[in-house]
Amino acid sequence: SQNQKSYNIGILISERFLDKYESFYWQMYQSVATRATAKECFTMLEVIGMAEEENGRLPKLVQERKVDGIIVIGKMMDDYLQHLNTEAGIPVIYLDYYNGREASDSVISNSYYGTYELTYYLYRMGHRKIAYIHGDDTSVTKNRLGSFYRTLQRLGIEEPDEYVKPSFYRDADLAGERTGELLDLKDPPTCILYPDDYAAMGGINEIRERGLRIPEDISVAGYDGINIAQVLEPKLTTLCQDTAAIGRIAAERLIELIEHPKTTVIEKYTVDGTL
């Protein structure tokens, strides 16, 4: 509208994610910034160091009252988020993270449906021995793992315990190790599903180091749809998160909250991705 005020939007990201998550979270950041600019708002990025996060020190953008609202990209310590919610005095929205205890709105991708789509696609491609390397223990992980098991159950597939391995998100080295363990099994899988594209690349390296071919000897699938996944040869099968929609909804919702602060209802927005 003509009388739309312009606001300053602070975007926070934890320093521990900057190296590994770079491409994915950078895409998220860009989509928030693009939408904010279209709404004539300014965005400012602040990287939260480990010490700040551990000591619960509020972001400089908040201390200096430079922003009207905040978007947190990715997971931060629960205590820190709680502190931010109670002390910041401005609206906070979480992007790509939700743990059920939040006192703030969140915008996340539809992990449950995304994992179902991926698993069902692998089944249609003829795979019956599908291994799953999953991320660390968050609500997203539980959601995806639950979806994976339920999908296999519906398809009548018994999943051996040794086909499911824990790892961390965007940890290429550990994903490579786990891939090695799967390949060493007496009855190895024909396909491995990874927690994200970055981890999948670690798995691909391990597979290739063993002289195996993709997809002739074993298939791989990722999650997120980061740009680099599309330059791999062969291209990576992945569930592409709609970062543009996630960023757009977060920016619009935050502007709404700045204009009409609300007291009770916490909204959780879920965005579908594409295979």
Side-chain angles (χ1 to χ4, degrees), residues 143-155:
N143 228 318
R144 290 187 189 174
L145 208 48
S147 174
F148 176 70
Y149 279 125
R150 281 199 60 178
T151 306
L152 290 184
Q153 212 178 346
R154 280 192 204 140
L155 296 169

Side-chain angles (χ1 to χ4, degrees), residues 11 18 22 30 53 71 75 98 101 118 122 130 153 160 231 233 243 247 265 275:
I11 301 178
L18 277 189
E22 196 171 16
Q30 283 172 317
E53 208 178 321
I71 290 174
K75 183 184 174 184
Y98 171 81
R101 284 195 295 277
L118 257 179
L122 299 172
I130 305 167
Q153 212 178 346
V231 298
E233 198 44 60
T243 46
V265 191
L275 192 66

Side-chain angles (χ1 to χ4, degrees), residues 124-140:
R124 287 206 312 272
M125 295 298 283
H127 293 288
R128 298 297 179 266
K129 298 186 204 173
I130 305 167
Y132 191 13
I133 295 173
H134 59 81
D136 51 1
D137 202 28
T138 63
S139 63
V140 169

Side-chain angles (χ1 to χ4, degrees), residues 27-243:
Q27 273 167 236
M28 286 255 186
Y29 169 74
Q30 283 172 317
S31 53
V32 172
T34 305
R35 189 60 193 158
T37 307
K39 290 264 187 189
E40 296 189 351
C41 293
F42 299 99
T43 50
M44 301 181 212
L45 178 67
E46 182 171 341
V47 176
I48 304 297
M50 286 303 287
E52 277 89 359
E53 208 178 321
E54 280 162 7
N55 305 331
R57 260 207 302 283
L58 286 177
K60 292 189 181 63
L61 290 176
V62 173
Q63 287 180 30
E64 295 163 14
R65 304 196 176 282
K66 286 205 162 80
V67 290
D68 303 294
I70 277 178
I71 290 174
V72 178
I73 298 187
K75 183 184 174 184
M76 288 192 194
M77 293 174 183
D78 287 347
D79 292 349
Y80 184 79
L81 292 177
Q82 219 166 359
H83 185 57
L84 193 61
N85 283 341
T86 48
E87 301 301 316
I90 50 177
V92 178
I93 287 187
Y94 301 121
L95 218 57
D96 195 48
Y97 178 62
Y98 171 81
N99 73 5
R101 284 195 295 277
E102 265 66 57
S104 288
D105 287 8
S106 56
V107 187
I108 55 170
S109 70
N110 190 343
S111 283
Y112 195 88
Y113 185 66
T115 306
Y116 157 76
E117 267 198 300
L118 257 179
T119 311
Y120 187 54
Y121 171 79
L122 299 172
Y123 175 86
R124 287 206 312 272
M125 295 298 283
H127 293 288
R128 298 297 179 266
K129 298 186 204 173
I130 305 167
Y132 191 13
I133 295 173
H134 59 81
D136 51 1
D137 202 28
T138 63
S139 63
V140 169
T141 307
K142 292 191 185 89
N143 228 318
R144 290 187 189 174
L145 208 48
S147 174
F148 176 70
Y149 279 125
R150 281 199 60 178
T151 306
L152 290 184
Q153 212 178 346
R154 280 192 204 140
L155 296 169
I157 295 176
E158 281 271 320
E159 179 75 354
D161 289 343
E162 65 263 28
Y163 276 9
V164 177
K165 302 257 178 212
S167 181
F168 293 106
Y169 288 106
R170 284 104 185 169
D171 190 329
D173 295 338
L174 188 54
E177 260 174 63
R178 294 288 183 253
T179 302
E181 292 165 15
L182 290 165
L183 296 173
D184 288 338
L185 290 172
K186 262 213 301 287
D187 186 18
T190 59
C191 178
I192 304 174
L193 190 49
Y194 289 87
D196 60 275
D197 299 341
Y198 199 88
M201 290 194 269
I204 289 168
N205 289 341
E206 175 64 25
I207 290 165
R208 295 213 161 124
E209 269 170 34
R210 292 176 176 233
L212 297 170
R213 294 159 311 157
I214 300 166
E216 294 83 358
D217 300 315
I218 188 156
S219 294
V220 294
Y223 208 106
D224 286 346
I226 61 175
N227 300 333
I228 202 163
Q230 297 314 302
V231 298
L232 290 175
E233 198 44 60
K235 281 187 180 165
L236 183 63
T237 296
T238 184
L239 202 288
C240 190
Q241 295 204 42
D242 192 345
T243 46

